[in-house]
Structure formats: C-alpha cells, structure tokens
C-alpha cells in the first residue's frame, strides 16, 4: 500500500528473466573478442604487404605505441571507476529522496533524476566541462580542477540519475506486504528501510548497476571530445604522429575495441550469471 | 491510564473509512474484551480486512473512534509505534522477511524495536518456535519452509513482541487444505492461553469452535452478530442466511 505509488519503468526490475539487458549481454560471446583480435592482427600484417616498404610494418608501429595506449586505457578505467563511485553515492541518496515522506524532497529528487537521466551523456559532459571553474578556492587553498576531474564529474551525473532510478525501482518492486509486516511490528521507517527493505534490494540492484557500469566504461571515450588524454585521444595523437597512415587505422582501432571487450565481457557474463541466480531464488 | 481490564480492550465506535470517493466502511461498532476471541466473517470486499487494519493504524479512518486499551487510534498525534507494540498482526501472505532465517525473523523486532537483551530474546524466540512446533527449522530461510510453516513463523514473530491483541487476516486462505489445520491449531492454542484475538476467516467450523462472538459484515456494515451457536444455527438477517447457505 505504502509504496504502491512508486511504479518502476526499469524492465530489469520487473522480471530478471525477461530482462532485455540480460538478453543483450548473452549475445556477447568470447569469439567476438577473438574476432576483434583477429582483425587487429590480420589488418596489421595483411595491409602491410600491399603497401610500400618504406614505412615500418603496422604491427610493429602498434607494438611501439601499445604502452601509451594501455596507459590511456587505464586512465579510462580510472575515470569509469571514479564516476561510478561518485554517481552511486549521490544517486543512492537521490533514489532514497525519491521515496521520502516529505513531498518537497521527493519532488526535487524526482525532478533532478529525470532531468539528468533524460539528457545526452555528451551534453552533460560539456555542461560539466564549461560550467565548472578550472580551480576552486576554499579558504586559503586553491584546488585545481583539471579536465579529467571535470570529466569524472560530468560522467557521474548520468550515472547518478540512473542509480537513483535503480534504487527507487528496486524498492518499488518489493511486495508491499514487506512494508506492512514491518510496520505492524512497530519498526520505525528508518529501520524498515535499512533493515528490511534495502537489504532485499541489493540483489535486485546489482545486475542493472553492473550493466550501467559497462555502459559508463564504454562512454568514457566521450572524454576524448573534450580533450582528456584517455585512450581515444592518445590513439588520435599516435596516428597523427605516424603521418596519418591509413593502413594503421584498422589495427589501432580494433585494438581499442579489443581492450574494451576483454574488460567489459567478464562484467557482462557476471551480470547475466547474477540475474539468473537471483531469478531462480526469488 | 484510565483504562482498566473490565473495559473493552478494543472498542470500535461508528468507524467510517473511504478509499477516495469509495466508502467501504459505513459505521461499524464492536467491542472486544480482554481474552475474548472474535471472528469477522462476510463476503469478499465487504471490508473485513479494512476494519482490522484500522485497529493497528495500517489504514487511517475518516470518522469514528477506535480505542485500544483506552488509547484513541483516530488521533493525528497518535504514536503509531507505541500502538503497534500492543497489537500484533498476521497476514494472509505471511510476509516473512526473506533475507532472515526463521529465528532471526522472530528475534528482529524485540531486538531492534524493544531493544531487549539478545540472550533473553533468543530464549523467548526458541520458546516460541517450540510453541508453534517448528523445532529444527530455526535456521531455515522462509523460502525453504512450506506455507503452513511460514505462517507459524509469522505468528511466532508477532508473538515475540508480547502483544496484548492479535489480528489475523485470513491467515489460512493461501494455504493448502492439508496445512490449514496446523495453523488453526496454533491459533486455537493461543486463544486457549487467553490471548485477545480478532480473526477474519472463512473457516466456519473453526470460527464456531474458537470464537466467543461472530460478526457478519456486508458492504461495509455489520449486518448481524452473536454467539457462535446462535449465529450459525439461528441467523435472522436474509443476507447472513444467504451467505451461510453458500459457504456451509
Ligand atoms: N488500498 C485500497 N485502495 C482502494 N480501495 C481499496 C483498498 N483496499 C481495499 N479497497 C476496497 O475496499 C473494499 C473492502 O476491502 P477489504 O479488503 O477490506 O475487503 P475484505 O472483506 O477483506 O475482502 P476479502 O475477503 O476479499 O479479503 C473493497 O471494495 C476493496 O476494493
Ligand atoms: Mg481481506
């Protein structure tokens, strides 16, 4: 009764078995990664024989740049983990705000959530890039805000909004009988939420949360557009340092795809595993 | 306080309750003395659940008065938590907390709400497990128990708060016919121990056996009430007669 007014529009929440995210993830197979690696290796060797012999072989060039590219990729991961962390903390609070008993808190949280959830990620990134100052003064201290930090804030905004919806949806998806039973045992609202409702929600929230993380990880390349030296930016720089050789495009970009694949694939597999495990249990 | 045991433990007077424009309770009054067992019966949608949910303030009311041990429930300043410490409730769908074992379900409220000592609570919980005949199931999760077993855990969970009144809302309606009896036996023993009970039930034989008083509701009013023998064998109102002829 109490939470019946919160409806979920997250398909993941309704039935883990028919979750579209699950089906999408299932279609990702290990051979997709091998395919990418194959393209990467083949294109770097095959293209070479056809080209003039004055240039170094593409594979050799790729190997030469690899340490830098890997460093850039690690930077992408740092951005993704940080944005996920911030977005999850703020988003969880916002999600709880959405079920607050105070009308103004509830409405504000709802509005903020909807606003950031329905804005293109790139727009939010630009928003953070150009609206945040390059440094902030707190007391006598000056804290610099480098571009990569701003990018983390920018990407944490959509994460925040999505986490807020995941939290609200998970709470709404619990049977109202749980609230009623807890209420009738004289638990306070805070106790009901923290001791009874939220512990049951963790299971339901984990798969969509991990899905969101995968999406965020892939979205970190957006930061290249605003000049953060992550893997895409560095690839662009490497390619122009090699005089824009077109035979290098295939090996370099398929290498990046491969990097993202080997990182996101296990997460996707694990998400599917969790979804199936929880679906059977409940 | 002013309340003493010779006054009704629960006294409902002229209760009115609407959901939006739909008025579902239209002036219900009934009294329950300490140690009494009353049964509310009636067709589906007649407002039985709504009446007992008003008693522990799970539903609010528009008009009328409910006194629980002299405390007014229809009061904007009501301390719901204090009220609910005195009134236990068991639901049709058990509503056990699935992430806690049977014993943890029973211990949770005394520990967190009443802040009682853990060792004492555990001792009480084990006594209750014995009382509802679930020895050996203490560490099972609700998902590992049958419906009847879950419902008995739910009864024990409610009893662990040592309530003065127990509300039962069709607690056997979701059970297999074979397991209905084990739950009814538990409630009967409770009634024999002197627990004040308000039961909504479709089990007429059971109602006749345990109830001190039967109330028949239809369309939000109490049509007829009386002692079980009089009520079942000598119903006056045509609506009661029709209902009984269909169900018996
Ligand atoms: N939360 C609610 N919102 C709107 N209407 C409700 C709500 N709860 C109950 N009602 C309506 O109130 C009326 C009485 O419902 P109630 O659940 O008290 O009936 P009942 O006698 O317990 O029936 P049953 O035997 O089917 O449990 C019904 O018409 C029902 O549709
Ligand atoms: Mg009912």
């Amino acid at each position: 009764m109490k939470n019946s007014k919160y409806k979920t529009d997250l398909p993941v929440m309704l039935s883990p078995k028919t979750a579209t995210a699950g089906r999408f993830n299932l279609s990702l197979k290990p051979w997709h990664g091998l395919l990418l690696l194959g393209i990467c290796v083949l294109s770097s060797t095959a293209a070479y024989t056809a080209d003039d012999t004055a240039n170094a072989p593409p594979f050799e060039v790729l190997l030469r740049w690899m340490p830098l590219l890997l460093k850039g990729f690690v930077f992408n991961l740092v951005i993704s983990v940080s944005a996920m962390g911030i977005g999850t903390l703020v988003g969880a609070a916002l999600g709880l705000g959405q079920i607050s008993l105070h009308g103004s808190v509830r409405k504000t949280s709802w509005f903020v959530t909807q606003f950031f959830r329905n804005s293109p990620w790139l727009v939010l990134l630009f928003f953070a890039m150009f609206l945040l100052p390059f440094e902030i003064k707190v007391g006598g201290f000056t804290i610099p805000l480098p571009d990569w930090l701003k990018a983390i804030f920018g990407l944490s905004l959509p994460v925040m909004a999505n986490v807020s919806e995941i939290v609200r949806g998970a709470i709404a998806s619990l049977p109202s009988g749980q609230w009623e039973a807890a209420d009738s045992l004289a638990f306070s609202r805070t106790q009901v939420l923290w001791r009874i409702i939220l512990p049951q929600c963790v299971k339901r929230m984990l798969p969509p949360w991990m899905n969101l993380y995968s999406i965020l990880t892939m979205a970190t390349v957006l930061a290249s557009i605003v000049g953060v030296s992550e893997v895409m930016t560095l690839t662009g720089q490497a390619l122009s340092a090699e005089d824009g050789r077109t035979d290098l495009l295939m090996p370099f970009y398929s290498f990046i795809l491969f990097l993202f694949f080997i990182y996101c694939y296990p997460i996707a597999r694990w998400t599917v595993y969790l979804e199936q495990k929880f679906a059977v249990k409940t | 306080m002013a309340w003493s045991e010779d006054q009704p433990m629960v006294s409902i007077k002229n209760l009115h309750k609407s959901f939006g424009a739909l008025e579902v309770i239209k002036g219900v009054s009934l009294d329950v003395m300490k140690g009494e067992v009353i049964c509310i019966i009636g067709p589906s949608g007649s407002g039985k659940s709504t009446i007992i949910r008003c008693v522990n303030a799970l539903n609010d009311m528009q008009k009328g008065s409910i006194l629980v041990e002299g405390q007014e429930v229809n009061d904007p300043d009501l301390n719901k938590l204090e009220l609910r410490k005195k009134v236990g409730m068991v639901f049709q769908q058990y509503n056990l907390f699935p992430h806690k074992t049977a014993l943890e379900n029973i211990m949770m409220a005394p520990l967190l709400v009443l802040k009682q000592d853990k060792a004492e609570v555990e001792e009480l919980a084990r006594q209750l497990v014995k009382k509802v005949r679930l020895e050996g199931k203490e560490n099972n999760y609700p998902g590992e128990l049958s419906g009847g077993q879950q419902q008995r855990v739910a009864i024990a969970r409610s009893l662990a708060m040592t309530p003065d009144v127990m509300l039962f809302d069709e607690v056997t309606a979701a059970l297999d016919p074979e397991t209905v009896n084990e739950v009814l036996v538990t409630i009967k023993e409770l009634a024999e121990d002197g627990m004040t009970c308000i039961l909504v039930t479709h089990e007429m034989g059971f109602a006749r056996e345990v109830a001190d008083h039967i109330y028949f509701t239809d369309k939000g009013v109490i049509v007829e009430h009386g002692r079980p023998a009089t009520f079942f064998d000598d119903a006056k109102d045509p609506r009661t007669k029709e209902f009984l002829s269909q169900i018996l």
Side-chain angles (χ1 to χ4, degrees):
Chain A
M1 168 201 94
K2 183 163 272 174
N3 56 356
S4 61
K5 59 178 172 285
Y6 310 114
K7 293 266 151 52
T8 176
D9 59 352
L10 290 171
V12 185
M13 292 300 154
L14 298 176
S15 163
K17 257 187 187 154
T18 57
T20 44
R23 235 182 287 139
F24 171 74
N25 286 333
L26 265 179
S27 66
L28 212 55
K29 296 271 157 41
W31 63 264
H32 291 133
L34 288 176
L35 185 72
L36 288 172
L37 191 63
I39 293 174
C40 177
V41 173
L42 277 179
S43 61
S44 46
T45 46
Y48 175 60
T49 49
D51 222 284
D52 65 347
T53 41
N55 290 328
F59 198 65
E60 205 182 295
V61 181
L62 179 59
L63 275 181
R64 189 150 29 88
W65 287 104
M66 216 173 258
L68 185 71
L69 296 186
L70 282 172
K71 228 186 263 171
F73 183 66
V74 169
F75 195 38
N76 283 66
L77 300 188
V78 170
I79 294 175
S80 72
V81 170
S82 317
M84 197 67 192
I86 297 171
T88 300
L89 282 180
V90 186
L94 202 59
L96 291 178
Q98 285 203 79
I99 58 151
S100 166
L101 291 180
H102 299 279
S104 53
V105 175
R106 192 170 60 239
K107 284 185 190 117
T108 313
S109 308
W110 176 84
F111 180 79
V112 172
T113 301
Q114 292 305 320
F115 180 83
F116 287 109
R117 208 165 84 97
N118 295 299
S119 310
W121 290 36
L122 187 57
V123 177
L124 293 177
L125 193 58
F126 270 82
F127 184 79
M129 283 316 213
F130 300 120
L131 287 186
L132 290 175
F134 68 96
E135 57 181 30
I136 41 175
K137 291 195 170 70
V138 185
F141 296 96
T142 307
I143 304 168
L145 279 183
D147 277 353
W148 60 268
L149 200 55
K150 291 200 222 173
I152 287 173
F153 288 138
L155 287 172
S156 65
L157 291 175
V159 172
M160 166 196 83
N162 281 283
V163 168
S164 170
E165 271 306 275
I166 289 172
V167 170
R168 190 196 58 83
I171 293 173
S173 74
L174 280 194
S176 60
Q178 290 291 310
W179 285 92
E180 291 176 355
D183 282 344
S184 72
L185 288 166
F187 285 104
S188 70
R189 188 174 165 86
T190 318
Q191 285 175 328
V192 178
L193 209 51
W194 288 94
R195 302 290 189 145
I196 291 154
I197 303 300
L198 290 177
Q200 296 183 54
C201 287
V202 172
K203 265 199 216 171
R204 291 161 192 250
M205 293 189 292
L206 210 50
W209 183 79
M210 284 166 48
N211 229 10
L212 179 63
Y213 178 64
S214 281
I215 295 170
L216 168 68
T217 306
M218 294 185 257
T220 53
V221 294
L222 291 176
S224 68
I225 302 174
V226 290
V228 176
S229 12
E230 48 69 68
V231 69
M232 280 296 276
T233 312
L234 294 178
T235 307
Q237 285 169 0
L239 287 171
S240 55
E242 294 293 333
D243 300 324
R245 277 172 57 186
T246 49
D247 60 322
L248 292 178
L249 291 177
M250 256 315 228
F252 271 69
Y253 285 114
S254 51
F255 176 66
I256 296 175
L257 281 177
F258 178 69
L259 285 181
F260 277 99
F261 180 88
I262 54 171
Y263 185 71
C264 290
Y265 178 73
I267 298 176
R269 288 302 314 174
W270 196 32
T271 310
V272 171
Y273 164 77
L274 287 179
E275 270 171 0
Q276 283 167 349
K277 192 176 135 197
F278 297 157
V280 175
K281 258 202 155 173
T282 50
Chain B
M1 277 219 293
W3 183 76
S4 65
E5 287 188 1
D6 52 333
Q7 291 168 308
M9 183 160 248
V10 177
S11 175
I12 304 179
K13 292 237 152 38
N14 195 27
L15 172 67
H16 286 257
K17 164 74 188 167
S18 307
F19 289 106
L22 179 72
E23 189 175 33
V24 297
I25 304 296
K26 305 160 187 164
V28 160
S29 301
L30 61 86
D31 284 345
V32 189
M33 302 301 291
K34 182 174 160 62
E36 241 185 353
V37 176
I38 69 148
C39 284
I40 304 176
I41 62 173
S44 182
S46 60
K48 308 179 296 292
S49 301
T50 308
I51 295 171
I52 66 169
R53 290 163 59 94
C54 284
V55 175
N56 71 347
L58 275 187
N59 281 345
D60 60 352
M61 62 191 101
Q62 268 70 47
K63 218 171 98 186
S65 150
I66 298 181
L67 296 178
V68 177
E69 294 181 355
Q71 184 186 22
E72 178 55 75
V73 178
N74 191 10
D75 173 357
D77 297 326
L78 169 75
N79 185 338
K80 287 187 185 173
L81 302 191
E82 287 307 317
L83 170 73
R84 287 168 183 164
K85 286 178 191 169
K86 292 188 285 191
V87 184
M89 181 156 185
V90 185
F91 301 84
Q92 183 177 336
Q93 295 298 338
Y94 338 128
N95 297 341
L96 292 180
F97 306 132
H99 60 303
K100 299 279 179 185
T101 64
L103 199 67
E104 287 168 343
N105 263 278
I106 300 172
M107 291 173 62
M108 230 178 144
L111 281 179
L112 295 171
V113 176
L114 303 178
K115 313 257 190 274
Q116 288 171 349
D117 174 68
K118 177 137 193 240
E120 279 170 35
V121 171
E122 182 161 348
E123 198 190 314
L124 170 70
R126 291 194 186 277
Q127 278 171 13
L128 288 169
V129 166
K130 212 161 146 190
K131 186 172 184 147
V132 299
R133 301 200 179 88
L134 282 172
E135 293 108 318
K137 300 289 181 191
E138 290 89 345
N139 298 319
N140 285 84
Y141 285 89
E144 301 163 346
L145 299 174
S146 75
Q149 292 169 336
Q150 287 190 58
Q151 194 59 293
R152 283 179 286 152
V153 175
I155 293 172
R157 176 177 71 172
S158 208
L159 291 176
M161 290 291 282
T162 56
D164 295 339
V165 191
M166 286 285 287
L167 311 173
F168 294 87
D169 190 0
E170 294 189 39
V171 294
T172 57
L175 299 176
D176 298 331
E178 310 90 74
T179 49
V180 166
N181 216 43
E182 62 192 44
V183 173
L184 292 184
V185 166
T186 304
I187 300 175
K188 198 176 148 216
E189 286 171 356
L190 205 58
E192 282 162 0
D193 289 347
M195 176 62 77
T196 312
C197 297
I198 304 180
L199 294 143
V200 172
T201 184
H202 284 149
E203 301 288 332
M204 294 305 146
F206 175 72
R208 185 177 193 136
E209 193 183 343
V210 301
D212 295 304
H213 216 90
I214 310 266
Y215 289 84
F216 175 73
T217 58
D218 189 24
K219 302 196 176 74
V221 294
I222 290 173
V223 172
E224 192 164 357
H225 66 96
R227 303 230 156 246
T230 342
F231 179 85
F232 283 110
D233 300 331
D234 202 12
K236 301 277 184 310
D237 195 280
R239 284 170 289 181
T240 320
K241 279 184 188 158
E242 195 199 333
F243 178 77
L244 289 178
S245 71
Q246 279 168 359
I247 210 157
L248 289 178

